[in-house]
Structure formats: C-alpha cells, structure tokens
Amino acid sequence: MAACVLCRRLPRPRYLLGLRKDRTQAQYVSVEQKDETDDHKGNKGALQKQEASPQEVYRLFYNPSSYHPPVWTAASSRSQRDNDEDEQCLSTLAPSFWQQRNRYSVSCSRHLSSSKNTLLDLAFKDPEPERPSVSSFRKPTPPDVRVNPRAFIKCRPEYASMTIDLTKRPRLIEMEEALPLLQKVIVLKGSMKPSDVCQFIMELSRLHRSKIPMVRSDQRFIMLLRYSVEHLSLFTELQLLEVLQAFVWLDMPSDHTILGLYEAELIRRANQMSLHQLLLAADLWRCIGRQVPQFLQHLYDSVRMYWEEMGVTEVVHLLYIIGEGRQCSKDLMHPVEQQLMRHIHKLLPEEVGAVCLGLFKSKLSVSEGAVTRIVDKGHSLIEDMSDFAIVNVLKLLRFSYLYHRGWLQAMSQEVPRRAQNMGVMGLMHVALACSVLHYRDDNILMAIAERVPSLVAHCRIKDSCKLLWALGTLGFPPVQSPSFYPSLTNALRERKAEFQRYPEHLLTALLGLAFVSQFPEDLITIALSPDFVKLALKSTKLELKKDLLTLDETVRLELPHWSGPRLSCELREEVAEMLWKFAQSDLCQKPEVLEAESALQILLGGEKFVCKRMILPHTRSIDLEVHLDSSGQPIPVNPALHTTTIPPENNSSTSISHQGWGRMNLEATITDELLTQLTDNKNTTKPLTPSPISERTSPHGVEPDDGRRRFDTGLHLTNEIIEHLANPCSRDSAPQDSTNTLKLAIQVSSRNQYCFHSQQLMGLHAMKRRHLKLAGYRVVELSFHEWFPMLRKSRAEKLAHLHCKVYNSL
C-alpha cells in the first residue's frame, strides 16, 4: 500500500507519489484549541482518518500540538495531561497556536526506500510566521505533587488484560542490542514478514527512555515504520495491539502520521475483536495521547453485546475510557449506569475515584440516586481513598450539583488532615467544589489558605484565578489568612502576559478579589484598558461583557479616587440592556417577586410607589425600589405611571401611610380608629371596633382570642405585631439624599444567595449589599425562610409582614 503525503523539504511543500494504485491524501487543517493546554482534552493533537477501510482512500487531518514544552519528556507531558482535569463548563476556548517546530519531522529520502519503492514519507506543516510563540504566553509549571490517575488498575489483576501499566516498563535492552536490529531492517528489506516487523518494533521499545529519541530519528527505524504500514492488513489483532503498545513505550508523538493508519485498521477490525481487546486498544490510544472518536464509537457500539459478561473491572475501565474520550452517546449512559449500580457494592477505594472522574469528564448526567449511591460508597471507604480519588468525588458532586451532607462533613476532617501533602491542583478543585455547592467550612478553607502560599510557584494561571474566585465567593476574609490573597495576586502579576491569551482568567480573579474588598489597581488597570477590553470582547464562546461591567461598576463605587480606564458608556448601556432583558423574562416573573410587588403596591397605595428594576445592573439581580419622605410617607418612584391601577378587589382600599394600612382583606378595613385602640393600650380589654364592612364581605367582626385579637383571615395580632405597629420609627441613621428621601431596595432573596445552612451571603450578593449602601440605598430583605412560607398565607398576613419590614427599617 503506497501513500501520498505532504513532505517538507523546502518552504514550498510538494506531493510524493508511490508506485502502487492506492494513494493516501494528507490534508492539513487547524483545529481550534479547547483549553489553555492540550492536557484538558487528553491529547497532544490528532491525525484523524476520514475513511475506515484501508482499501479506500485515507484522508489524514493534521492537528499540531498547541503546547510542546521542550524540557519535558513525552511521558512527563502525559502525566501532566492526566493530572489536568478541569471542568469544561469553565474551560478556555481560545484560538489554537501552532508549535514552532516538530522534533520528529523527517525529510524525504528516496535512497532509503525498499525494492518496491513504497515510502511513507512523514512531514509536518511549517508554523505560521505571524503566530506568537507559546512561550511568550505560558511558563511551564511542573506539578508540585505527582499523582497516579491510573492507580485503579492496580486494584485487581483482571485489569492486566485490558490496560497497560505505565509504571512497569518491559525488561530494558542496551543500545548495543538495538543496533543489530536496525541493521537487519536494511538487510531484510522487502523480505520482512509481519512477525519480523512486529518483533523488531517491540524489541526497540525496550530501550532505555533516554535512548529512544535517538532511535526514533534513525532512518532505519523510519524504514521499519514504513514496512509496518505495508504489512498492516496482514497483522493479527494481537500483533496490532503489540505494536501499538510498543508505540506507547517509544513515546510516539500523538500527531504522527502513521498512527492515523493504525487507527483506521483497528476501526476496520473492531467487529472482530473481543471486548478486552477493544478496551486495551482504547487504553493504548489514551496512553499515546491521541483522540480517536471514531474508534471509541465502534467500542461503544460493540460493548452493547457484552452487557451480561461485564464485571466490575470492565465497567470501571469503560467509564474511564468514556471520560478520557470526553464524549459518549446519551443512550449508552443508561445501561452503563445500570451495570454500575449492579456492581457498586464491589467497588474498591480507587475504583470509586476512577468512576467519579469518568462521569465528571464525560459531562453526561446520571440519576441523582446513582450519584448518591456512588458517594455513599466513597464515604464508607474514605479513610482508604487517595487524595486524587477524594478530589474526583468532589468533582462529581460539583458537576451534579448535589449536596451530600455526610461526605462534605467528612471533608471538614479529611482536608485539613491531608492538605499539607496535597498539590495545588487538588486544593483548587476542593475549593471550587465548595464554592459551587455553596458549602462554607472554615476548617477546609483555612487548610487551603495556609497551604497554598507555599505552592504558588507551582500554580498554573487557572489555579490561581479559580482559588481566588472560590474563596472570594465563599466570603473568606483576608484577615483570616493574611498571606493567601497577596501571594496569589503576586502570582498573577508574574504571569500577566498569559492574560493576553486567556482574558477570562484575569476577570475571574479580579471579581473574586472584589467580593472580599481587595482591589489590586495595577491588574484592574490592565483589565479595563481598551486593548484588553477589545481582546475580551473577541471571545465568541465565553460571555465576558457581564464580568467587565461588574468590575467597572465596582471600581466606580468602591474606588472613588480611581483615575484609570473605564468602560465606554455605549458598552455599559449595551450590557445593562442585555441583563435587563434577561431579568424581565426570568427574575421578574418569579412568583415570590410578583407577590411581593403586588402586596407592596397595595400597602403603599399604588403602582407608582413601587418600581421593580435592576438598581445596580452589574450585580445581575432585581430589587423593588421604594422611596419614603422624612415622615415615612411613600413618594412616587415610577414617574412614568401617572395613574394608579389597583386590582378590582381592592378598589375600596384607601391610600395609606405608616400609620394607616388601608383595607387589609375582604373582612375588615384597618382605620385610624382601630389603630388608636391598638396603640393607646396594648393590654386593653375593650373590644376592637372594626370599620364598616364592604357590601361584598361577610359581616364578621374581630373577636378576642386567648387575650389576643385576630381577624377572620387568621392573622393573629400578637404583642409582637402590635409593638411593631406602635413603636415609633427612628430615622436618624437612614441614608437620605439632598431632598431627605429615604431610598429602600427591597430584595426577595433565595437560598442560592447564601452559603448552605448559613447566614453568610455568597460573594456577589454580599458585594451587592455594600454597593447599594454606597449608592445611598437602605436594604430591606424579604428572606426566603420568612417570605416563601408567607406566600401560602392570607393577604392580610403578607401586608402585616411587609409593613413590619418596611417601617422597621426606618
């Protein structure tokens, strides 16, 4: 089988044709990089085949590695890739960058061809001259603590038939033993048999790692690869897998052209291979670092025939492969979940971690019950789990947004105990999981904050930014760990060149700092500079406009002395309009907000006294704005509404002030006379006298009830309510504008605005409270644990509750 590929001899590429009929076309296409490193996708680039059959035409797509650190070996790069498991929901979507050169490019060499003149000439595209060097953006950051993401394969001997153990290299041979093998390649030439090719490649893979680059660049080894392609269709399935395993030990670059041909051959034979052979092939591709979505699809299609034969090892390894492949059809996940639940009681500690990581990476949801059972199993084994496995469980909880009380309480003990031996990446994932789950535990946060400053040198830019965001979101105060925020902020300064490629990380970090009132002005100047704003707005995958507005308005309110750059008025108005449109379709329509708005309009006397709007658009939430004068009388805040529309059933209500409520319900109207009876003597035994009743209401008065009086609606006039009504309002400390108008921002809060089972506001909402006060507003909160139960009660009780809330704030 001959091949036609691009060969780089001179700046202008040309095609070389073999002598046989079949030709392979090589086409170079760039693929958009999906993360700040290729580690995130588990590959160093891909040459993906177009046609499955080797008898048909192959089309090889070249996707160069966007990162190729020159000082790391391929094995260490593979380890780093395994360790980089960030979630895709926050992943960087930035343009790909071509590597500057490929160390494994070879020139066309006709004189090394066999007697059949069948060359597989390997070539790679020159880098685009205008693209900047990766090193100008990113400094290599070696991991501080190395973990083994494949530790689960050591749990049971059954894994040996479907995985490769990277910690056990074959018995090594010396270079002196390898040279005769390379010489035989020239001597045998076209008379080589498939078994000879397989044996030679396997023997050469047993060289010491330091000698392998020398062999890979040897022209005789390149000839051996060409012969392997000629015999590709003659290899047995076992020989194919043996050669592929040898490629792992030879550290073959994942974008090597020859791998595309092997992938196509394995796809063609997928239906002839056993389940263990398919799983082994998928594992070998993973270890090489090559994405093979079409082969994996054949694996997923074939695995359906083996459900009844699958044991715990097959299920765990399949989930590992699904996770590393980052894609799987949704219809496969249900039977996989069923198999997992069938074997869950057999899982060992590291297998629990592998399962959680596979589900997290696949981004396919399983049922809440399944996640709960998995975490329950992990909780029962937590003392024997590695740090890596524990972090993987937290990743699954974060992705599933599931609060597991037992597990998180155990983390309060485990994280402080393990933190000193954990790496910065693991600590970042712990902090991120806590912030996403709104779980604040000072033991966990203090352990992270005390450990991280010593690891700053090992922080990737995303680690620093996400740590700042996570602890800022949870409201971790700088005073509790004075070195935490400054150390990470200094790390951002040292690596600020990387923000030119990843602008979203800088905004993430600065907002996390702003939540806890930390404002590094030099970094804010960069973030609000016209060039950076222009760069951020180019992002088509991530919406950074909202973050820019939040940062810009935060600077305006909290840094009054600021003389640095600001967003343009046009951009601020555009983003505010976008946020308001969303709020109108979502936040403004929530039942608890509509009920509060309606009740306030009745309480204050009409629509013109209540304005539902985003007072501070950059905080991304709405408020019910109310204005009161110095005597507590409501002032119109909706000038556009010249007429007040009252619901039909409330037409008989009268305008009210802080001393008269108007009609509370259909049974009785609260008048000044009635209030006088309440306020003159709370303990009076004289019956309360309600005002005349509307024709539509039933003639029920107000009767004593165990020394307390209530209306027929069920509103109990307790001593507390009477005291609220009678207590004179103190307005001395109220923030008022030049016209002595008190501006209230009435907020209908929800559980999502607070840390779980806590009165601690999440970062953005705590910052909003500060900003409202700076803008001259007094915050009145209708807390979820008070207002939500009130929705089921009568209007009279709602009005009583709102009256207390509004006028007690004076």
Side-chain angles (χ1 to χ4, degrees), residues 583-601:
Q584 286 179 304
S585 63
D586 182 74
L587 303 177
C588 293
Q589 304 304 318
K590 292 185 179 297
E592 61 272 20
V593 174
L594 293 173
E595 187 63 30
E597 180 186 25
S598 174
L600 280 170
Q601 289 172 358

Tab-separated table of all heavy atoms in Angstrom, residues 583-601:
chain	number	residue	atom	x	y	z
A	583	ALA	N	-33.577	39.651	32.822
A	583	ALA	CA	-34.294	39.754	34.087
A	583	ALA	C	-35.795	39.820	33.867
A	583	ALA	O	-36.575	39.227	34.626
A	583	ALA	CB	-33.814	40.985	34.859
A	584	GLN	N	-36.221	40.534	32.832
A	584	GLN	CA	-37.658	40.646	32.561
A	584	GLN	C	-38.281	39.299	32.226
A	584	GLN	O	-39.439	39.046	32.543
A	584	GLN	CB	-37.889	41.629	31.409
A	584	GLN	CG	-37.700	43.088	31.795
A	584	GLN	CD	-37.917	44.012	30.626
A	584	GLN	OE1	-37.277	43.883	29.575
A	584	GLN	NE2	-38.849	44.946	30.774
A	585	SER	N	-37.524	38.462	31.552
A	585	SER	CA	-38.058	37.166	31.145
A	585	SER	C	-37.907	36.093	32.212
A	585	SER	O	-38.518	35.030	32.116
A	585	SER	CB	-37.362	36.692	29.856
A	585	SER	OG	-35.968	36.505	30.095
A	586	ASP	N	-37.106	36.360	33.239
A	586	ASP	CA	-36.837	35.318	34.223
A	586	ASP	C	-37.068	35.819	35.653
A	586	ASP	O	-38.047	35.452	36.298
A	586	ASP	CB	-35.404	34.811	34.062
A	586	ASP	CG	-35.070	33.686	35.018
A	586	ASP	OD1	-35.539	32.564	34.786
A	586	ASP	OD2	-34.355	33.942	36.009
A	587	LEU	N	-36.178	36.663	36.142
A	587	LEU	CA	-36.239	37.084	37.539
A	587	LEU	C	-37.535	37.804	37.872
A	587	LEU	O	-38.133	37.586	38.929
A	587	LEU	CB	-35.041	37.975	37.865
A	587	LEU	CG	-33.654	37.375	37.623
A	587	LEU	CD1	-32.578	38.405	37.914
A	587	LEU	CD2	-33.450	36.142	38.481
A	588	CYS	N	-37.978	38.672	36.963
A	588	CYS	CA	-39.174	39.474	37.240
A	588	CYS	C	-40.449	38.648	37.269
A	588	CYS	O	-41.483	39.109	37.765
A	588	CYS	CB	-39.319	40.589	36.193
A	588	CYS	SG	-38.015	41.841	36.286
A	589	GLN	N	-40.398	37.433	36.727
A	589	GLN	CA	-41.598	36.613	36.627
A	589	GLN	C	-41.709	35.573	37.735
A	589	GLN	O	-42.649	34.784	37.746
A	589	GLN	CB	-41.629	35.906	35.263
A	589	GLN	CG	-41.540	36.841	34.070
A	589	GLN	CD	-42.639	37.891	34.085
A	589	GLN	OE1	-43.795	37.593	34.395
A	589	GLN	NE2	-42.286	39.130	33.754
A	590	LYS	N	-40.775	35.569	38.661
A	590	LYS	CA	-40.830	34.575	39.735
A	590	LYS	C	-42.023	34.876	40.648
A	590	LYS	O	-42.277	36.031	40.994
A	590	LYS	CB	-39.523	34.580	40.518
A	590	LYS	CG	-38.344	34.056	39.712
A	590	LYS	CD	-37.100	33.964	40.557
A	590	LYS	CE	-35.934	33.407	39.749
A	590	LYS	NZ	-36.177	32.022	39.294
A	591	PRO	N	-42.748	33.859	41.059
A	591	PRO	CA	-43.966	34.085	41.865
A	591	PRO	C	-43.705	34.877	43.142
A	591	PRO	O	-44.510	35.738	43.515
A	591	PRO	CB	-44.450	32.659	42.178
A	591	PRO	CG	-43.856	31.812	41.105
A	591	PRO	CD	-42.555	32.435	40.743
A	592	GLU	N	-42.597	34.595	43.827
A	592	GLU	CA	-42.327	35.294	45.078
A	592	GLU	C	-42.081	36.788	44.858
A	592	GLU	O	-42.418	37.623	45.701
A	592	GLU	CB	-41.125	34.662	45.792
A	592	GLU	CG	-39.821	34.693	45.037
A	592	GLU	CD	-39.617	33.496	44.125
A	592	GLU	OE1	-40.620	32.827	43.784
A	592	GLU	OE2	-38.463	33.244	43.747
A	593	VAL	N	-41.514	37.130	43.684
A	593	VAL	CA	-41.275	38.544	43.370
A	593	VAL	C	-42.587	39.222	42.996
A	593	VAL	O	-42.880	40.342	43.452
A	593	VAL	CB	-40.243	38.664	42.241
A	593	VAL	CG1	-40.088	40.128	41.801
A	593	VAL	CG2	-38.893	38.112	42.675
A	594	LEU	N	-43.388	38.574	42.166
A	594	LEU	CA	-44.663	39.160	41.760
A	594	LEU	C	-45.580	39.384	42.963
A	594	LEU	O	-46.270	40.405	43.053
A	594	LEU	CB	-45.343	38.233	40.740
A	594	LEU	CG	-44.651	38.095	39.380
A	594	LEU	CD1	-45.337	37.032	38.538
A	594	LEU	CD2	-44.630	39.425	38.643
A	595	GLU	N	-45.588	38.441	43.907
A	595	GLU	CA	-46.441	38.586	45.071
A	595	GLU	C	-45.963	39.722	45.967
A	595	GLU	O	-46.767	40.498	46.497
A	595	GLU	CB	-46.478	37.271	45.856
A	595	GLU	CG	-47.474	37.241	46.999
A	595	GLU	CD	-48.917	37.391	46.533
A	595	GLU	OE1	-49.203	36.962	45.390
A	595	GLU	OE2	-49.744	37.940	47.281
A	596	ALA	N	-44.663	39.847	46.129
A	596	ALA	CA	-44.118	40.939	46.937
A	596	ALA	C	-44.418	42.295	46.291
A	596	ALA	O	-44.802	43.259	46.972
A	596	ALA	CB	-42.616	40.757	47.120
A	597	GLU	N	-44.277	42.365	44.974
A	597	GLU	CA	-44.557	43.614	44.264
A	597	GLU	C	-46.029	44.008	44.416
A	597	GLU	O	-46.348	45.170	44.730
A	597	GLU	CB	-44.206	43.449	42.786
A	597	GLU	CG	-44.466	44.683	41.948
A	597	GLU	CD	-44.235	44.435	40.473
A	597	GLU	OE1	-44.341	43.262	40.043
A	597	GLU	OE2	-43.980	45.399	39.742
A	598	SER	N	-46.918	43.040	44.233
A	598	SER	CA	-48.349	43.322	44.333
A	598	SER	C	-48.729	43.764	45.741
A	598	SER	O	-49.473	44.739	45.937
A	598	SER	CB	-49.142	42.076	43.932
A	598	SER	OG	-50.517	42.262	44.150
A	599	ALA	N	-48.199	43.061	46.751
A	599	ALA	CA	-48.548	43.397	48.128
A	599	ALA	C	-47.999	44.770	48.511
A	599	ALA	O	-48.661	45.540	49.221
A	599	ALA	CB	-48.011	42.324	49.063
A	600	LEU	N	-46.803	45.105	48.045
A	600	LEU	CA	-46.244	46.424	48.346
A	600	LEU	C	-47.065	47.534	47.700
A	600	LEU	O	-47.239	48.616	48.271
A	600	LEU	CB	-44.787	46.491	47.874
A	600	LEU	CG	-43.743	45.839	48.785
A	600	LEU	CD1	-42.404	45.760	48.090
A	600	LEU	CD2	-43.626	46.611	50.100
A	601	GLN	N	-47.556	47.303	46.490
A	601	GLN	CA	-48.385	48.310	45.822
A	601	GLN	C	-49.658	48.569	46.618
A	601	GLN	O	-50.106	49.718	46.753
A	601	GLN	CB	-48.724	47.833	44.415
A	601	GLN	CG	-47.539	47.859	43.461
A	601	GLN	CD	-47.839	47.195	42.133
A	601	GLN	OE1	-48.943	46.678	41.936
A	601	GLN	NE2	-46.884	47.215	41.228
